């Protein structure tokens, strides 16, 4: 690999105390969009509003042959085209997907990367065939420990030329709770290009880096995978030279639909005095959410919200509501989720050098005024 590429894609770093968003980060933000928070009202996020993160380029995949290989430590190597996968019994799962770096731009010091606030999330119904069915058909050898997934997107990161590639422990890949899918449809339609057309992995409960898009190869390995996206990226590190813990399941989070209407630049919200219905969604990749609380004083006091009863969609967000009475003044609204295993959102930032798995509570500034000047045109 040409060492000069390292100058283009340098090591991970932290922003200086007075350093603003760079042109490079702005370019990333323009390519990788979050979900507008008003779209939390939808049970299923329309594909165009669902968050998108593309590491390199969206691969060109014209209609026609696309082969998915299954090889490595298996009894027999297999290859499937999309029509063959569609002919297998289909499974549909409703899954909330969240980027591992969601909330990164709110950290201090700020890790320099895709500058997410809190909008890197979405919920869709994914249809495909269970991964374990394909692995069973291939016949996994007894010494297998991991399954490696290769996507067709290709690029350079920190001087390393690579296809996007991630692995899962064999017990996760072969498990049925959650059941990992090789998906070909999103909300009942073929995958849009930005969401992995024609095939992608869906790993319920895991952050988005595990959901490999444009899936082209499945490799069963007898040793742990040490590729860049597994051992260099997506690790929880306090210091640059430590190995860190791998990012995996989604930490609990609640988000609030910002009430009222916004100021164009600041996004500060305005409401009228009186009863203001609040609503939002909550989720966790560990256990079902059992409690959502709301604060109107920047987290000093909390009030129990009404959580929608659980349903069959274990791996999707749940809606919640709260009735707030607003009086003239300034407020900071927040929501906080707790799951059945006792995990809850922190009020102080859970910092790491990559800005991963940061589920700090949301802060929504709101001004309640008796009247506002209005114009038309």
């Amino acid at each position: 690999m040409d060492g000069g590429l390292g100058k283009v894609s340098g090591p991970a770093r932290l922003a200086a105390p007075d350093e603003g968003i760079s042109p490079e980060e702005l370019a990333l933000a323009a390519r990788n969009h979050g979900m507008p928070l008003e779209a939390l009202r939808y049970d299923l996020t329309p594909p165009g509003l669902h968050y998108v993160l593309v590491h390199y380029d969206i691969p060109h995949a014209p209609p026609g042959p696309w082969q998915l290989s299954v090889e490595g430590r298996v009894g027999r190597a297999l290859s499937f085209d999309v029509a063959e996968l569609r002919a297998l019994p289909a499974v549909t799962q409703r899954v909330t997907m969240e980027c591992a770096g969601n909330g990164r731009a709110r950290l201090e010091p700020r890790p320099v990367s895709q500058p997410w606030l809190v909008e890197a999330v979405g919920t869709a119904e994914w249809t495909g065939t269970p991964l374990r069915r394909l692995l069973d058909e291939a016949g996994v050898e007894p010494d297998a420990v991991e399954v490696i997934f290769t996507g067709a997107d290709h690029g350079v990161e920190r001087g390393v030329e690579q296809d996007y590639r991630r692995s899962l422990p064999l017990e996760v890949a072969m498990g049925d709770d959650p059941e990992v899918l090789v998906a070909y449809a999103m909300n009942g339609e073929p995958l849009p290009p930005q969401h992995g057309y024609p095939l992608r992995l869906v790993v319920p409960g895991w952050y988005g880096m595990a959901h490999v898009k444009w899936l082209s190869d499945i490799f069963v390995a007898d040793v742990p995978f040490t590729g860049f996206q597994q051992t260099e990226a997506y690790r929880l590190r306090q210091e640059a030279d430590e190995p860190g813990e791998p990012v995996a399941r989604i930490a609990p989070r609640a988000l609030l639909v910002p009430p009222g209407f916004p100021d164009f630049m600041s996004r500060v919200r305005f409401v009228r005095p009186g009863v203001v219905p609040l609503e939002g969604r909550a989720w966790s990749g560990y256990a079902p959410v059992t409690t959502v609380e709301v604060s109107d004083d920047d987290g000093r006091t909390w009030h129990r919200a009404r959580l929608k009863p659980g349903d069959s969609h274990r791996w999707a967000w749940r809606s919640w509501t709260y009735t707030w009475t607003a009086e003239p003044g300034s407020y900071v609204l927040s929501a906080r989720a707790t799951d059945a295993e006792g995990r809850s959102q922190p009020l102080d930032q859970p910092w790491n050098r990559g800005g991963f798995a940061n589920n700090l509570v949301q802060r929504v500034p709101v001004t309640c005024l008796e009247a506002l000047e209005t114009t038309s045109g």
Side-chain angles (χ1 to χ4, degrees):
M1 182 68 195
D2 184 356
L5 289 176
K7 299 176 182 178
V8 174
S9 187
R13 69 180 186 88
L14 303 177
D18 58 350
E19 180 181 351
I21 299 292
S22 68
E24 291 80 11
E25 289 176 288
L26 180 60
L28 283 177
R31 288 183 54 85
N32 301 309
H33 66 78
M35 181 195 72
L37 292 180
E38 57 267 33
L40 287 164
R41 295 187 175 96
Y42 296 103
D43 288 336
L44 296 180
T45 310
L49 297 180
H50 196 290
Y51 96 92
V52 170
L53 177 69
V54 177
H55 278 78
Y56 309 125
D57 282 348
I58 297 172
H60 180 54
W66 180 280
Q67 294 298 128
L68 174 65
S69 59
V70 182
E71 51 192 350
R73 298 299 299 154
V74 294
R76 63 188 184 106
L78 300 174
S79 182
F80 300 89
D81 62 27
V82 178
E84 289 171 325
L85 291 174
R86 284 181 170 273
L88 297 174
V91 171
T92 297
Q93 291 199 65
R94 184 175 297 186
V95 175
T96 293
M97 196 178 296
E98 182 178 4
C99 185
N102 199 17
R104 173 187 291 129
R106 301 193 302 160
L107 296 181
E108 182 61 42
R110 176 176 59 83
V112 176
S113 185
Q114 165 66 28
W116 293 122
L117 295 171
V118 294
E119 296 90 348
V121 67
T123 294
E125 286 190 340
W126 306 95
T127 300
T129 188
L131 172 64
R132 60 194 176 104
R133 179 188 179 97
L134 305 183
L135 296 176
D136 282 339
E137 186 172 340
V140 174
E141 298 288 0
D143 60 351
V145 296
E146 285 192 356
V147 183
I148 304 167
F149 306 92
T150 300
D153 47 334
H154 184 86
V156 177
E157 200 160 345
R158 301 184 209 170
V160 179
E161 184 177 350
Q162 58 189 281
D163 294 325
Y164 186 82
R165 185 176 286 122
R166 287 277 308 183
S167 71
L168 290 173
L170 183 65
E171 62 269 21
V172 175
M174 297 286 289
D176 59 3
D177 187 27
E179 186 170 58
V180 180
L181 293 183
V182 175
Y184 44 74
M186 179 184 189
N187 292 354
E189 300 291 338
L191 295 174
Q194 72 273 26
H195 289 293
Y197 176 84
L199 296 173
R200 73 171 299 162
L201 204 66
V202 174
V203 189
W206 284 56
Y207 281 111
M209 78 283 154
H211 304 239
V212 178
K213 293 182 282 191
W214 311 291
L215 185 64
S216 61
D217 182 75
I218 298 171
F219 188 90
V220 180
D222 58 359
V223 294
F225 177 54
T226 58
F228 178 90
Q229 299 293 342
Q230 202 77 23
T231 58
E232 294 296 324
Y234 296 107
R235 312 287 291 194
L236 301 174
R237 296 184 176 96
Q238 296 297 311
E239 303 293 339
D241 57 354
E242 65 176 291
E245 293 296 318
V247 178
R249 291 185 176 270
I250 299 172
R253 188 191 293 276
L255 287 181
L256 169 80
V257 176
F261 48 95
D263 174 77
F264 174 68
M265 287 295 294
S266 70
R267 309 311 292 178
V268 167
R269 309 297 297 194
F270 295 93
V271 299
R272 307 295 186 195
V275 173
V276 179
L278 302 181
E279 62 179 316
R281 304 278 176 167
W283 61 93
S284 172
Y286 289 93
V289 170
T290 55
T291 305
V292 173
E293 298 166 286
V294 174
S295 172
D296 65 0
D297 56 7
D298 206 8
R300 289 188 292 274
T301 60
W302 294 90
H303 312 279
R304 182 75 65 96
R306 181 180 180 275
L307 188 63
K308 181 180 178 181
D311 52 29
S312 60
H313 303 300
R314 162 65 185 88
W315 302 106
W317 57 26
R318 294 174 64 183
S319 65
W320 58 266
T321 57
Y322 179 77
T323 301
W324 177 50
T325 301
E327 298 179 356
S330 297
Y331 303 87
V332 176
L333 302 182
S334 298
R336 178 172 65 181
T338 301
D339 69 21
E341 294 180 357
R343 294 178 178 85
S344 187
Q345 293 181 251
L347 303 182
D348 297 315
Q349 64 176 12
W351 189 88
N352 61 83
R353 290 186 63 87
F356 298 124
N358 164 32
N359 64 336
L360 182 68
V361 297
Q362 178 191 17
R363 301 177 74 254
V364 182
V366 175
T367 298
C368 177
L369 293 179
E370 289 285 2
L372 290 173
E373 178 181 351
T374 61
T375 62
S376 61

